[in-house]
Amino acid sequence: MKHFLKTTDFNIQEVDETLSLAQKFKAERGTVPSSALNGQSWGMLFFKSSTRTRVSFEVGVHELGGNALYLNKNDVQISRGETIADTAKVLSRYLHGIIIRCYDHALLEEFAAEGSIPVVNALSDFLHPCQIYSDAFTMAERWSGGGSLLESLQGKKIAFLGDTACNMANSWMLGAALFGMDISLAGPAGFEPGQDIKDLIQASGLTPSWTFHTDPTEAVEGADAVYTDVWVSMGMEDEKEERLNTLQPFQVNSALMLAAKAEALFLHCLPAHAGEEVTQEVIDSPASIIFDQAENRLHVQKAILAMLAKSAI
Ligand code: CP
Ligand code: NVA
């Protein structure tokens, strides 16, 4: 039985298979029903807000023939002190798998260790792997020209601007090393990647493929894709004012996009705060593929769930 807690929980062959399966699910949506989760019930335990992740997983489980149960943490006994270990043991008696959005990444690991069903990371403070796979798929749709999705990513350069110590930056550092891409991060001094993500890249046996820059233009030069994320992630609201000031020089605007390759794509995991990490002009520009990214969460997560269901048999 496999879990999907981090970008590297699938090896490169499984990544290849997942991207191809997502392509098939996308092409066949609404015409060829899938039975990958037939008769199964998957829980969705969320400690944080969500639009895309919640809806794409609920719809995705349904389209695979399964039943999704949304469990807001306020509505379950965890909110009154029941332990994660007991919750994991109990929910494993009912469910075939669980999708969890939480703060501390260790909660996911504890649930996986104490329960007996596949666990999917729907975002933690440390990593957001479902988003990364969808992003990779969305870029590969543009670059593959009908060939291998995975191979089309290899050798490409992505620039990540802004909060270079957040879950999205971490996920992309790990993802770039796994997919064979280079990533240049641009953020202020003090936002360098943390030791935990550097250790994870090393422990995964991957060659690091990231560089850190305090000059945004330098990071974007020669980039095939420019990526940003909110400056105030969920749980960091107390630091809002300070972050909006410190991160201002790293806004993705039209002038900065000119420093990337002429055909460079713009990506954002969303939700976006136009006027903060990115301008409305860039969001609306032909380079922007943000709504394809959002759509592809559905197709790619269906593929991830189907892969996990197969490994759980
Ligand atoms: N990108 C993303 O995970 O969006 P939500 O927070 O709306 O799920
Ligand atoms: N870094 C953001 C990602 C949202 C999808 C957050 O954690 O809030």
Side-chain angles (χ1 to χ4, degrees), residues 98-233:
I98 190 151
I99 297 151
I100 303 178
R101 170 168 283 201
C102 62
Y103 291 87
D104 188 355
H105 190 80
L107 185 150
L108 291 159
E109 288 167 345
E110 186 182 359
F111 201 109
E114 299 289 346
S116 53
I117 52 176
V119 179
V120 176
N121 179 359
L123 180 148
S124 68
D125 287 345
F126 185 42
L127 294 172
H128 193 6
C130 294
Q131 180 72 53
I132 290 302
Y133 276 46
S134 306
D135 300 340
F137 178 81
T138 309
M139 288 188 277
E141 281 186 312
R142 303 292 172 118
W143 293 335
S144 61
S148 159
L149 293 168
L150 180 60
E151 282 174 20
S152 77
L153 300 172
Q154 289 162 356
K156 293 286 199 300
K157 173 179 169 178
I158 182 166
F160 188 100
L161 281 289
D163 183 359
T164 39
C166 78
N167 45 13
M168 289 306 309
N170 287 343
S171 304
W172 259 114
M173 287 170 66
L174 197 54
L178 179 66
F179 305 146
M181 301 173 74
D182 291 318
I183 179 163
S184 53
L185 305 153
F191 282 70
E192 293 86 354
Q195 196 57 45
D196 45 4
I197 188 62
K198 291 191 257 184
D199 288 347
L200 180 55
I201 293 172
Q202 189 173 20
S204 307
L206 295 168
T207 307
S209 62
W210 60 272
T211 52
F212 178 78
H213 309 256
T214 49
D215 176 352
T217 308
E218 184 183 289
V220 165
E221 271 166 15
D224 299 283
V226 178
Y227 202 115
T228 193
D229 183 14
V230 291
W231 288 342
V232 185
S233 284

Side-chain angles (χ1 to χ4, degrees), residues 89-100:
K89 289 186 177 84
V90 171
L91 293 184
S92 294
R93 303 284 179 117
Y94 307 129
L95 300 171
H96 297 85
I98 190 151
I99 297 151
I100 303 178

